[in-house]
Amino acid sequence: MITENITDAIACPKFSGISGEIDERFLRVKEWYEFINEQQLKFGQYLAEVKAETKRQYVRGLESVGLVKTQLNKFIKAAEIADNLPSKLSPKLGLYVLLQLGQKRNGDAVEHLTENDTQLSAAQKIKQHQKPPQPKMPKPVIEWERNREGSRTLVLRLTDGDAALAIESGYKKSGLPLPLYLSNLIQRHEEVPQSWQGAQEELAQYMDTQSEEIQSLLSQIREANELINRLPNPKDATEWMMLRTAREEREKAEEILGALYF
């Protein structure tokens, strides 16, 4: 039956009245695109009926024939969105654009669509009327997290990636358990007889004087990490050599960096 529909569509294009300047092959592409979209919307409507009738058996029924609920539910969602659009418009848009229109940030675009729109103009209106994303609230710098067993873990979030990398390098080189390593750092600062502001100024001055060398070392470590991540499973002698060299360079840079900081 599908083969017959395809043959009929190719033999009898709907767009014979359009200017001959348009390549007929693209007219057929458009025709087929809209035909497939219509079938997908009908399929989504049918799926919604099956889901409503079978209820709790819906997922099990899909699995029994080897289908995945999350994928098929996209057709149901598209059909629901199409119900709120001009009937002649929905087949022009396709599954992907319809699902975009179902997103909250694209709700304003729906109000500006008409049956004369195309997939291209609809995409332009989505971009034009899209709401800006809501800014995410930053997580606290220090936070206690509790696991299922009831024990707590202190989480420290450092927004400065270079500072975090420096602390990590110093910790690895110290050979101490993490709690003891952090305790030693705190004791060092407590022993300094100066105000917190003075300590901040001193640290800033120290960072300025050694910034160039530190940045160079951090850059070496990042580049080495990138190469190591790209070669998780070396395939030949050359890649093994590159991996070994990267590890050696990272270790040497971390050692120097640890000495500078600690």
Side-chain angles (χ1 to χ4, degrees):
M1 181 175 180
I2 294 178
T3 305
E4 293 175 357
N5 288 336
I6 293 175
T7 303
D8 292 342
I10 294 177
C12 305
K14 299 176 183 177
F15 306 100
S16 57
I18 298 179
S19 171
E21 296 179 359
I22 300 179
D23 191 326
E24 186 176 299
R25 290 172 296 180
F26 292 105
L27 298 178
R28 290 175 179 171
V29 168
K30 182 176 186 295
E31 179 186 67
W32 269 106
Y33 183 75
E34 295 184 6
F35 171 77
I36 292 172
N37 291 338
E38 287 178 345
Q39 303 310 307
Q40 288 182 335
L41 293 176
K42 291 179 181 178
F43 176 55
Q45 294 169 352
Y46 178 73
L47 269 176
E49 295 174 2
V50 173
K51 184 177 182 179
E53 294 171 357
T54 56
K55 298 181 180 178
R56 295 184 179 180
Q57 300 301 317
Y58 175 69
V59 175
R60 186 176 300 177
L62 292 178
E63 292 177 348
S64 68
V65 292
L67 298 176
V68 181
K69 177 194 71 173
T70 54
Q71 295 300 319
L72 293 182
N73 281 352
K74 293 179 181 179
F75 294 96
I76 297 177
K77 181 67 175 178
E80 292 174 350
I81 297 168
D83 288 340
N84 298 317
L85 298 175
S87 58
K88 294 183 179 180
L89 173 63
S90 298
K92 302 178 185 177
L93 302 183
L95 188 68
Y96 177 73
V97 177
L98 287 172
L99 293 176
Q100 276 193 308
L101 290 171
Q103 299 175 9
K104 291 183 179 180
R105 61 176 181 166
N106 297 328
D108 292 347
V110 175
E111 302 176 1
H112 295 82
L113 295 175
T114 70
E115 64 178 16
N116 295 323
D117 274 306
T118 64
Q119 185 187 59
L120 180 59
S121 64
Q124 292 171 340
K125 288 184 177 180
I126 289 175
K127 184 176 181 180
Q128 178 183 357
H129 299 284
Q130 192 173 68
K131 297 177 182 178
Q134 292 291 334
K136 294 183 178 180
M137 293 297 294
K139 293 184 178 180
V141 177
I142 301 178
E143 183 180 18
W144 284 98
E145 291 185 354
R146 188 182 300 274
N147 60 21
R148 295 180 180 179
E149 288 73 27
S151 61
R152 299 195 306 164
T153 302
L154 179 63
V155 179
L156 304 177
R157 297 185 177 88
L158 299 179
T159 56
D160 187 338
D162 291 341
L165 185 59
I167 292 175
E168 181 185 23
S169 298
Y171 161 62
K172 290 180 178 179
K173 296 303 178 182
S174 71
L176 298 172
L178 183 57
L180 181 57
Y181 173 72
L182 294 177
S183 177
N184 286 345
L185 287 181
I186 294 172
Q187 290 177 6
R188 291 181 189 178
H189 285 286
E190 289 179 345
E191 292 172 356
V192 178
Q194 58 183 357
S195 66
W196 172 248
Q197 182 178 0
Q200 288 287 80
E201 293 174 355
E202 181 180 344
L203 177 61
Q205 183 179 4
Y206 175 77
M207 291 295 293
D208 288 340
T209 57
Q210 302 196 38
S211 176
E212 184 175 348
E213 183 177 1
I214 291 172
Q215 292 300 323
S216 176
L217 291 169
L218 292 173
S219 177
Q220 291 179 31
I221 293 172
R222 282 195 294 268
E223 291 175 0
N225 283 334
E226 290 175 0
L227 180 58
I228 292 170
N229 291 333
R230 289 201 301 267
L231 297 173
N233 298 304
K235 300 178 182 178
D236 51 41
T238 300
E239 291 189 354
W240 274 110
M241 182 183 68
M242 293 172 62
L243 181 60
R244 183 172 62 255
T245 302
R247 287 173 176 170
E248 291 175 351
E249 290 181 352
R250 181 181 66 180
E251 183 177 356
K252 183 177 179 180
E254 287 178 343
E255 183 177 355
I256 298 174
L257 184 63
L260 287 174
Y261 269 89
F262 307 101

